[in-house]
Amino acid sequence: MAALQTAFMYLGVAVVAYYVSLVVTLVYDVLLRPGARLDKFGAGQGAWAVVTGCTDGLGREAALELARKKFNMLLISRSADKLEALAAEVRQAGVEARVVVVDFAAVDEETWARVRRELDAVRVGVLMNNVGVSYDHPMHVEEVDAAAVDAMVDLNVRAMVRMTQLVLGQMKERRSGLIVNSGSFAALVPSPFLSIYSGTKGFVRYFSQSLAAEAAPHGVVVEHLQTYFVCSRMSKTRRPTFLIPLPKPYIRTVFAKIGVEGGAAEPYTSIPYLSHALMAFVSERLVPRQLAISYNHNLLAGLRKRALKKKQQQQAEAAKA
Ligand SMILES: NC(=O)c1ccc[n+]([C@@H]2O[C@H](COP(=O)([O-])OP(=O)(O)OC[C@H]3O[C@@H](n4cnc5c(N)ncnc54)[C@H](OP(=O)(O)O)[C@@H]3O)[C@@H](O)[C@H]2O)c1
């Protein structure tokens, strides 16, 4: 009996020590550990950074941050006027900027050939596959209309794969390059009522991790960036909180922590922002998966209810007017 008690005690100590070591690593990662230096990918040496979906939210901040880090910028998004305005802002950082107008929800092979020509004309040091779309509000799968399904697959999956294919050749040839793929916590814990979005981000997770291992021997770094909520048009959140930062501090952390896992429990993945790292730690390491899914189910069911109520109110007001 005494021997059993001692065994349990050692087991308990080992478990506690394991979790303490995880917390210490996390805190070290997010607070102290520096990321890869961006000059490794050509910052300040004439290299270009490419960001898709860059006229708003995270993409816009990424474009401005990479310009501050002295990359020339190739800006790819769908709204010509917003792109030109952003290019003018980017140039104020003393770098070059070019724009490429692409609607990733309607790209034909001719458009891809145009994008290829633009990419082949410059030395691409960084590609951020950022463009993405989610639901208008949480829905049952059968409620999502065909255009929204296609857009999620086109933006979240197809654009990422095709853009990656277009830059990998030159990056491998130079044995230098960074590809950052915008993932989501919707692929950390499955997200009921956002099932299609969650599924596309699940693709991003495994595509990025597989590619990262494939590309590493060729000198190309691939990072799966897993993001919890950040204030943006997509998240429909404007006011920052501890858990939901503004795009600027979030993106600054992202590019200061390239290659740093932070809260991520998987290889080639980064959750660099402190509050997101803590969320990931709790979701992945402490809470059983089924419980995490149930939590998401309740949370998103609540958001769905509120969104539907708001829509009904708007319809009633419109009918009165
Ligand atoms: N915000 C979050 O809480 C959050 C959380 C997890 C993951 N993420 C991921 O982070 C990425 C960026 O999200 P965000 O919140 O910054 O999004 P956002 O604020 O909605 O911005 C999306 C950007 O993509 C562009 N875009 C939209 N549809 C396009 C199309 N068909 N073709 C070309 N460009 C298009 C938009 O251009 P226009 O200005 O012309 O519309 C805008 O510049 C996404 O991949 C998202 O899944 C975000």
Side-chain angles (χ1 to χ4, degrees):
M1 192 62 186
L4 200 62
Q5 269 179 346
T6 310
F8 273 121
M9 192 188 76
Y10 280 122
L11 189 64
V13 169
V15 169
V16 170
Y18 171 70
Y19 278 99
V20 168
S21 77
L22 289 179
V23 173
V24 169
T25 308
L26 184 151
V27 170
Y28 170 67
D29 265 17
V30 292
L31 296 183
L32 298 172
R33 194 172 143 201
R37 290 170 57 109
L38 294 180
D39 54 7
K40 202 175 137 192
F41 308 109
Q45 300 153 53
W48 290 67
V50 182
V51 182
T52 63
C54 55
T55 52
D56 217 329
L58 306 190
R60 179 183 152 75
E61 276 312 322
L64 293 170
E65 178 65 6
L66 288 164
R68 275 192 290 268
K69 298 288 181 192
K70 299 298 173 203
F71 283 100
N72 295 318
M73 293 303 308
L74 193 63
L75 308 165
I76 309 186
S77 211
R78 70 175 160 188
S79 308
D81 50 343
K82 292 189 198 174
L83 276 169
E84 290 299 347
L86 177 63
E89 226 177 302
V90 158
R91 288 185 193 111
Q92 285 171 15
V95 297
E96 288 182 56
R98 294 186 191 169
V99 306
V100 187
V101 180
V102 177
D103 180 351
F104 284 109
V107 203
D108 53 17
E109 287 307 317
E110 218 171 282
T111 310
W112 282 122
R114 179 164 57 86
V115 176
R116 176 190 285 277
R117 280 194 297 277
E118 296 283 351
L119 293 168
D120 284 351
V122 297
R123 177 156 56 96
V124 179
V126 177
L127 165 65
M128 182 169 184
N129 280 310
N130 169 76
V131 75
V133 68
S134 184
Y135 290 28
D136 175 57
H137 63 270
M139 284 182 232
H140 289 288
V141 164
E142 68 278 17
E143 294 170 338
V144 183
D145 67 40
V149 174
D150 288 350
M152 273 184 273
V153 174
D154 284 343
L155 270 65
N156 304 359
V157 175
R158 200 187 313 277
M160 177 170 291
V161 176
R162 296 295 297 264
M163 286 298 300
T164 300
Q165 286 180 316
L166 292 181
V167 300
L168 264 178
Q170 57 157 299
M171 285 182 170
K172 282 186 178 180
E173 214 170 289
R174 284 195 316 272
R175 297 193 59 80
S176 168
L178 168 67
I179 299 176
V180 178
N181 288 339
S182 260
S184 166
F185 270 41
L188 188 88
V189 175
S191 303
F193 302 109
L194 293 179
S195 300
I196 304 166
Y197 178 73
S198 184
T200 60
K201 291 298 178 179
F203 175 92
V204 173
R205 173 181 167 193
Y206 278 120
F207 171 69
S208 306
Q209 293 176 6
S210 309
L211 174 68
E214 191 182 310
H218 301 274
V220 178
V221 175
V222 179
E223 178 154 293
H224 170 221
L225 173 66
Q226 254 183 330
T227 301
Y228 185 63
F229 287 110
V230 174
C231 296
S232 80
R233 208 174 55 193
M234 179 192 280
S235 67
K236 295 189 170 59
T237 309
R238 285 196 189 157
R239 219 171 309 144
T241 63
F242 175 66
L243 278 178
I244 308 179
L246 288 167
K248 193 169 184 169
Y250 180 72
I251 285 294
R252 284 209 160 167
T253 307
V254 168
F255 286 105
K257 295 275 180 188
I258 293 295
V260 173
E261 290 84 1
E266 295 180 346
Y268 309 115
T269 299
S270 182
I271 304 179
Y273 196 79
L274 174 64
S275 60
H276 290 191
L278 295 172
M279 273 290 286
F281 184 82
V282 173
S283 312
E284 280 209 296
R285 311 263 197 192
L286 301 183
V287 177
R289 177 50 55 104
Q290 184 58 58
L291 202 65
I293 295 175
S294 301
Y295 172 82
N296 262 0
H297 185 283
N298 292 339
L299 179 81
L300 289 159
L303 289 179
R304 172 184 158 76
K305 215 171 163 180
R306 260 185 281 159
L308 290 178
K309 199 171 163 192
K310 195 170 166 193
K311 271 187 198 301
Q312 272 171 358
Q313 280 167 351
Q314 282 167 346
Q315 278 164 0
E317 275 163 28
K320 264 192 243 159

